[in-house]
Amino acid sequence: MRENIKKAVLEALEQCMDSGELPKKDVTTDIQISRPKHESHGDFATNIAMVLASQLKMAPRNIAQALQGRLEENPLFDRVDVAGPGFINFFIRPEWWQKGIVSIVEKGAEFGRSSSANGKKVLIEFVSANPTGPLHVGHGRGAAVGDSLARVMKAAGYDVETEYYINDAGNQMKTLGTSVYLRYLEHYGRDVEFSQECYQGDYIKDIARDIAEREGDRFVDVPVEECVEFFTTHAVNIISASIRDDLESFRVHFDNWFSEKTLHESGKVQEAIDFLKERGQIYEKDGALWFRSSDFGDEKDRVVRRANGILTYFAADIAYHRDKLERGYHMLVDIWGADHHGYIPRVKASIAALGHSEDKLKVLLVQLVNLFEGGKVKQMSTRAGQFVTLREVLDDVGTDAARFMFMTRKCDSHLDFDLELAKKKSQDNPVYYVQYAHARLCSVFRNAEAQGITLGDISEIDTSRLSAREEMDLIRALGEFPVVVEGAAHALEPHRVSYYLTELASMLHSYYTKYRFIEQDVELSRARMLLAQATKNVFATGLELLGVSAPEKM
RNA sequence: GCCCCCGUAGCUCAGGGGAUAGAGCACAGGAUUCCUAAUCCUGGUGUCGCAUGUUCGAAUCAUGCCGGGGGCACCA
């Protein structure tokens, strides 16, 4: 619809210039076709007259009036107004809207999906929590944002892959193995000192008990250095499996699981460092190896290999991003916790140093989730063992409510998640509002079928019967769905979809209360059922994009 | 000290150059012989944190300040 209007406007401009109504001149026509807030301003509006005013050296209203004369002849419009400082307001003929409903139903699940991104290859990396403990609520938010973003971008025609980077190397692994080892000794009644450095959570004890059951006491008298690797591997396997389980319950899917350890083992970390060294981006100081990230906008240089010979996490990260870049993506999206924001300049610097445009990397920072319980904020720390797990939240409020909840804020704003509210008053959750709209529409079709009314040949349906104000509002809103999806994908803001669906649900519920889909008049019923079908499709597709189920009954 | 995010109705937040700034919650009242009342309808609030600037036009952009949160290792 917007495209048609834009075309009409540009044609009118050309005609006016040819006829001398407007000065003939090369102008930039970077114009907007927008939906006005007030219905008295029509279905769409354009700011072209204001944009051209300075270029043509004419008053905006005069330009608008010239264009108006041409645009009024276009059969697409019922009426064309000039308003305010020079807006041109378009009132679309109702039949254009009404006919649109047929094509929405014909497109079915495809409506809202497009190829506007032309198969641009994107890798979205998210969650990537260390395999040292269960996922907590904060990870859940990242998971919901990343997975929904992947779905939305796919719908907009991106070629999307998702990836989880497993930090299964480094110091923390040794800490994990040691923690389990100590709990194992405790299990056999040994008196051990369990230091603050160790992972405190009860899940460590569970893993230790599991090892005891399988392996018996054969490690009890083995010094920690000799068996820590066994404990580490075992713990990582168990924790990774439970992370995968949690994500599956959360309907979050990853195409790839990428292990940091393999980067080290295959020598890719060293390769990346050597590559930068050849380019003169690495130097030695105080016994350590440094990357010249300050040459690329970072505030200081960063260490890639410490004086003790151990490679830093950042070194692996350079190699990891190099690997991603070599896999040929047009865009890399990393979703990180907001506490990692200081990390962005150095990773971007490494991408530039590797010879790529740093714009290829888009980092979304997901702000903290403030978890409330009884009005108190619960602090979360994996090491201290005090946290609310994603699993716990899923068991309490369910996947649908949790996923929708995480989509009710843009990701860079803090989110308050009140557990008690979510538990006790779960029907107040906005997700039910949207799901209920879908369920109600399904119920309409069940009833229609019971009465023997079916849609039949939809091309035969008289859509002009859909003329009530509420019907036109719904129809117009349905037409916005593809625009919303595309906008959400390009802006990397999946939360827009949840806002859209909530608004659509509000319109549907209003309509539902005031009118009946199934009436005595069968032709009218068919027209309304067509509208119901189109609306139901949009709810189903929209909820799918959010990873939320669309129940047929509630 | 430096960096990032936030500041919009009583509360939680949308809107991120465009016309008269919106929703949910909370509060009060009302609606169901009929497709699901997990619903709807009616009621009212704003120095858009403050100040300068850019613009035909600023809640929106820029700069500075104030307030809240987070981050600034040869940790991961």
Side-chain angles (χ1 to χ4, degrees):
Chain A
M1 195 64 96
R2 280 161 204 262
E3 285 307 304
N4 293 337
I5 294 168
K6 191 163 182 176
K7 220 169 85 189
V9 169
L10 295 178
E11 274 169 20
L13 177 63
E14 209 171 304
Q15 287 169 6
C16 285
M17 285 184 170
D18 286 345
S19 69
E21 287 167 84
L22 291 174
K24 195 154 189 165
K25 212 170 166 184
D26 271 341
V27 289
T28 62
T29 48
D30 186 17
I31 60 163
Q32 292 163 7
I33 307 291
S34 56
R35 294 215 56 191
K37 285 176 195 154
H38 294 273
E39 58 181 319
S40 63
H41 297 141
D43 296 316
F44 291 97
T46 180
N47 62 347
I48 186 168
M50 276 96 85
V51 172
L52 294 182
S54 62
Q55 299 183 62
L56 297 180
K57 299 196 168 54
M58 280 179 71
R61 283 196 71 107
N62 293 340
I63 298 172
Q65 271 154 17
L67 293 170
Q68 178 192 21
R70 297 290 175 170
L71 289 165
E72 277 173 336
E73 295 162 13
N74 194 311
L76 187 56
F77 308 121
D78 208 13
R79 182 150 68 88
V80 179
D81 286 355
V82 175
F87 286 105
I88 304 176
N89 295 333
F90 302 99
F91 296 77
I92 306 288
R93 274 188 206 274
E95 54 262 42
W96 289 94
W97 286 119
Q98 290 157 347
K99 279 183 209 157
I101 290 297
V102 178
S103 86
I104 292 176
V105 172
E106 279 169 353
K107 285 180 184 160
E110 285 306 302
F111 179 70
R113 300 180 195 273
S114 71
S115 52
S116 76
N118 286 319
K120 207 171 160 187
K121 283 190 67 169
V122 184
L123 181 71
I124 307 179
E125 181 220 322
F126 57 106
V127 186
S128 298
N130 297 346
T132 53
L135 297 179
H136 56 64
V137 180
H139 297 131
R141 186 177 186 186
V145 170
D147 186 70
S148 296
L149 179 64
R151 292 167 187 247
V152 167
M153 289 182 84
K154 272 180 203 163
Y158 288 88
D159 180 4
V160 181
E161 273 182 57
T162 55
E163 188 157 296
Y164 187 119
Y165 181 59
I166 311 165
N167 298 124
D168 52 1
N171 242 337
Q172 52 180 348
M173 287 299 105
K174 205 172 160 193
T175 307
L176 176 66
T178 307
S179 305
V180 176
Y181 173 75
L182 293 173
R183 291 300 190 204
Y184 170 85
L185 295 186
E186 270 184 355
H187 179 81
Y188 284 103
R190 299 298 170 97
D191 197 18
V192 298
E193 197 184 325
F194 199 79
S195 90
Q196 286 292 318
E197 292 301 301
C198 291
Y199 294 103
Q200 307 286 321
D202 285 343
Y203 63 93
I204 298 290
K205 294 179 189 167
D206 296 339
I207 296 168
R209 196 179 316 117
D210 182 69
I211 291 178
E213 279 164 16
R214 289 178 192 220
E215 307 288 333
D217 61 359
R218 68 186 180 96
F219 294 112
V220 168
D221 292 312
V222 180
V224 63
E225 307 81 51
E226 286 173 30
C227 62
V228 67
E229 203 174 319
F230 172 85
F231 281 88
T232 302
T233 306
H234 198 87
V236 167
N237 287 343
I238 288 182
I239 293 171
S240 298
S242 93
I243 286 175
R244 287 178 197 230
D245 272 1
D246 289 352
L247 289 170
E248 199 160 306
S249 305
F250 204 41
R251 291 191 208 112
V252 171
H253 170 76
F254 286 94
D255 297 313
N256 311 319
W257 295 78
F258 194 105
S259 152
E260 180 188 356
K261 206 168 158 186
T262 62
L263 276 178
H264 290 281
E265 287 169 356
S266 64
K268 285 195 173 175
V269 180
Q270 194 55 49
E271 267 173 42
I273 291 174
D274 291 344
F275 180 83
L276 291 175
K277 202 182 267 173
E278 277 166 33
R279 297 189 155 208
Q281 302 303 342
I282 299 276
Y283 63 92
E284 196 166 342
K285 193 183 92 182
D286 303 332
L289 278 188
W290 298 71
F291 164 52
R292 291 185 197 280
S293 51
S294 60
D295 283 5
F296 300 93
D298 196 6
E299 61 183 25
K300 53 177 279 199
D301 294 342
R302 305 292 174 177
V303 171
V304 292
R305 197 183 68 208
R306 293 188 267 157
N308 62 11
I310 294 176
L311 293 163
T312 60
Y313 178 88
F314 178 48
D317 242 358
I318 295 174
Y320 178 43
H321 282 88
R322 183 169 182 242
D323 185 88
K324 288 187 189 179
L325 290 164
E326 284 173 354
R327 282 187 262 159
Y329 299 104
H330 296 106
M331 194 199 299
L332 302 177
V333 179
D334 285 12
I335 300 180
W336 299 345
D339 54 344
H340 285 69
H341 86 266
Y343 218 76
I344 297 174
R346 75 188 73 167
V347 175
K348 288 210 169 206
S350 73
I351 284 172
L354 290 167
H356 291 83
S357 161
E358 60 181 56
D359 294 336
K360 270 195 174 178
L361 176 68
K362 310 272 185 198
V363 180
L364 291 192
L365 294 177
V366 177
Q367 280 291 344
L368 300 180
V369 177
N370 290 319
L371 208 56
F372 283 88
E373 194 156 42
K376 276 198 301 190
V377 180
K378 297 191 88 164
Q379 289 299 328
M380 286 179 289
S381 155
T382 309
R383 189 153 300 188
Q386 191 198 7
F387 50 82
V388 177
T389 62
L390 177 60
R391 170 61 61 187
E392 229 175 304
V393 171
L394 293 187
D395 290 346
D396 279 342
V397 306
T399 296
D400 285 343
R403 284 199 64 149
F404 201 92
M405 187 79 99
F406 286 130
M407 283 299 135
T408 59
R409 298 277 179 281
K410 48 183 177 192
C411 65
D412 56 8
S413 64
H414 298 256
L415 172 68
D416 291 337
F417 198 123
D418 191 322
L419 276 174
E420 279 185 358
L421 197 82
K423 282 181 209 171
K424 281 187 192 165
K425 305 172 71 180
S426 58
Q427 59 268 59
D428 287 344
N429 195 300
V431 69
Y432 295 107
Y433 189 75
V434 176
Q435 288 182 317
Y436 185 48
H438 182 265
R440 277 184 141 180
L441 289 167
C442 290
S443 144
V444 166
F445 283 93
R446 280 193 297 271
N447 281 285
E449 201 182 347
Q451 293 176 43
I453 304 172
T454 56
L455 267 178
D457 181 354
I458 59 172
S459 62
E460 304 273 296
I461 291 173
D462 180 8
T463 52
S464 70
R465 302 294 298 273
L466 299 170
S467 56
R469 185 201 141 91
E470 287 83 356
E471 286 164 341
M472 291 304 296
D473 284 348
L474 259 177
I475 292 170
R476 279 187 274 258
L478 293 174
E480 284 297 293
F481 183 53
V483 181
V484 170
V485 172
E486 215 173 289
H490 292 138
L492 310 179
E493 291 185 351
H495 75 278
R496 294 187 190 188
V497 175
S498 70
Y499 277 91
Y500 168 79
L501 291 180
T502 305
E503 267 172 45
L504 191 66
S506 163
M507 289 183 189
L508 187 272
H509 287 311
S510 287
Y511 179 73
Y512 190 96
T513 306
K514 194 165 168 183
Y515 297 89
R516 295 181 53 78
F517 284 94
I518 314 297
E519 290 276 18
Q520 293 296 322
D521 180 342
V522 173
E523 285 313 309
L524 179 61
S525 301
R526 287 221 169 94
R528 289 183 173 172
M529 281 166 66
L530 189 72
L531 177 60
Q533 182 64 47
T535 312
K536 187 157 84 75
N537 282 355
V538 170
F539 279 124
T541 306
L543 286 169
E544 163 75 26
L545 294 180
L546 297 175
V548 175
S549 69
E552 302 200 345
K553 272 184 187 173
M554 285 175 77

